């Protein structure tokens, strides 16, 4: 008699706020306008991320990370 595994895998939080250290890291390297261009994001999206009005999807965080020359793990470890 097999017991079914009813546990569901823990999901990564799909939406993240940029912390102050991450914002400082980005702005020490480029303007928000440049980040939008390099990361291929809408400038309004970047502005909203910095104001805290919108949480970033994993895809957006990956684009931001790559734009500043880091992988997502490195970027998320900035605190």
């Amino acid at each position: 008699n097999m017991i079914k595994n009813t546990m569901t895998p823990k999901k990564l939080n799909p939406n993240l706020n940029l912390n102050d250290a991450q914002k400082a890291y980005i702005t020490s390297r480029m303007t928000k306008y440049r980040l939008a261009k390099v990361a291929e994001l809408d400038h309004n999206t970047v502005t909203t991320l910095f104001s805290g009005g919108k949480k970033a999807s994993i895809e957006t965080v990956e684009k931001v990370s790559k734009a500043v020359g880091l992988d997502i793990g490195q970027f998320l470890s900035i605190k």
Side-chain angles (χ1 to χ4, degrees), residues 14-34:
N15 296 300
L16 306 160
N17 278 320
L18 297 182
N19 66 41
D20 289 341
Q22 290 165 334
K23 292 175 191 176
Y25 185 88
I26 294 165
T27 56
S28 72
R29 283 154 181 78
M30 62 183 67
T31 63
K32 293 177 202 171
Y33 178 81
R34 181 83 183 129

Side-chain angles (χ1 to χ4, degrees), residues 25-72:
Y25 185 88
I26 294 165
T27 56
S28 72
R29 283 154 181 78
M30 62 183 67
T31 63
K32 293 177 202 171
Y33 178 81
R34 181 83 183 129
L35 175 64
K37 291 288 182 206
V38 174
E40 298 178 347
L41 295 169
D42 185 86
H43 185 257
N44 289 333
T45 299
V46 172
T47 302
T48 309
L49 289 175
F50 272 80
S51 71
K54 181 180 181 184
K55 291 185 176 188
S57 67
I58 291 294
E59 292 79 14
T60 298
V61 174
E62 284 178 327
K63 287 180 177 183
V64 170
S65 302
K66 188 185 270 187
V68 295
L70 299 175
D71 68 40
I72 192 166

